[in-house]
Amino acid sequence: MDKLSTIAAQLAEQGWALSEEFLSTAELLALAQEARRLWRQGDFKAAGIGRGSGFRIRPEIRGDSILWLEPDRLTPAQMKYWSEIEKLRRRLNQELFLGLREFEAHYAVYPPGACYRKHLDRFSTSDERAISCSLYLNFGWRQQDRGQLRLYPRQDDPEAVVEISPQAGTFVIFRSDTIYHEVLSPLKERFSLTGWFKRRSLSKALWPASRMS
């Protein structure tokens, strides 16, 4: 089973999946260097919660800063990632019949002490976001640096958690509609490339009924 089918199988079985071989070290390094350069030159903006008239900057809830990728103006480093994401989109549609149509993504940086409290990635006013994903860009990250992504994969047991360290090369995806998650405060700058596979609005995801609930 190749890496894309492994991701699809894990996603179908447990609602989330993890891969440590989504991109090569050279490709990861190019993205990491680009993210840090853009952050240093001031291109990121403070992230908020909500959308439209309900959008608010609430650093006590969400403290990261972000920079959206522009699909028609991708850098060479971003194009390689986008190409692999497109392969994954097609494989998920082929094997899980999800009807994923497009992808959006941004760089994100959490300064020391910033966090993102427990939440879902699905907006209450839209069901377009189907699958969330994060690619981590932090070389030499240690467990004591904290900043883990904490998943709550079981709705029947909120105490059951999975913690994922944001070490460079770790790629995690999960259902946007059911998997609550949070970002724990790091002790140093924490970079990622975070995105969402989207479906047509108001459609219903066709998860394999025998494997997902």
Side-chain angles (χ1 to χ4, degrees):
M1 185 180 296
D2 65 18
K3 68 180 180 183
L4 299 184
S5 289
T6 298
I7 290 172
Q10 290 179 1
L11 183 65
E13 185 68 30
Q14 59 192 16
W16 64 279
L18 186 147
S19 174
E20 295 182 345
E21 55 183 22
F22 194 70
L23 291 182
S24 70
T25 300
E27 291 160 351
L28 288 165
L29 185 59
L31 289 168
Q33 292 175 337
E34 179 177 85
R36 289 186 176 275
R37 174 177 56 81
L38 294 170
W39 167 243
R40 297 285 184 257
Q41 67 188 35
D43 290 352
F44 284 58
K45 295 182 179 180
I49 59 174
R51 63 190 306 190
S53 62
F55 179 81
R56 298 288 186 275
I57 302 294
R58 296 284 303 278
E60 74 279 12
I61 297 175
R62 179 180 184 182
D64 60 322
S65 293
I66 62 175
L67 175 62
W68 287 97
L69 273 58
E70 301 179 44
D72 58 344
R73 298 178 59 187
L74 296 173
T75 66
Q78 295 167 11
M79 287 178 64
K80 178 58 181 176
Y81 177 65
W82 212 267
S83 174
E84 294 304 307
I85 282 290
E86 176 61 15
K87 293 176 186 177
L88 178 59
R89 183 189 70 83
R90 294 185 179 188
R91 186 66 62 86
L92 293 178
N93 283 344
Q94 176 185 341
E95 299 192 9
L96 302 182
F97 309 102
L98 297 184
L100 305 175
R101 299 172 58 87
E102 58 183 298
F103 183 71
E104 61 181 7
H106 60 58
Y107 282 123
V109 57
Y110 285 81
C115 69
Y116 197 161
R117 301 298 183 191
K118 185 178 177 181
H119 65 286
L120 284 176
D121 279 350
R122 176 73 62 83
F123 291 114
S124 60
T125 57
S126 172
D127 68 348
E128 290 179 324
R129 287 181 174 178
I131 302 295
S132 305
C133 59
S134 286
L135 175 69
Y136 295 110
L137 305 174
N138 309 291
F139 286 89
W141 197 269
R142 303 167 302 171
Q143 192 69 23
Q144 55 265 41
D145 294 324
R146 304 181 186 175
Q148 295 93 338
L149 172 68
R150 178 179 288 170
L151 302 179
Y152 297 83
R154 293 181 54 184
Q155 297 184 63
D156 61 339
D157 185 2
E159 300 302 316
V161 301
V162 176
E163 290 191 352
I164 298 168
S165 179
Q167 172 66 32
T170 299
F171 177 71
V172 57
I173 73 173
F174 53 90
R175 289 181 59 170
S176 302
D177 59 338
T178 62
I179 303 293
Y180 279 89
H181 57 286
E182 63 180 317
V183 176
L184 306 184
S185 298
L187 295 182
K188 61 182 183 179
E189 290 177 347
R190 173 196 190 274
F191 286 87
S192 66
L193 188 44
T194 297
W196 297 269
F197 289 107
K198 301 170 68 177
R199 305 175 315 208
R200 185 188 300 276
S201 182
L202 302 181
S203 65
K204 294 182 178 180
L206 301 178
W207 295 97
S210 62
R211 302 175 70 182
M212 298 292 294
S213 59

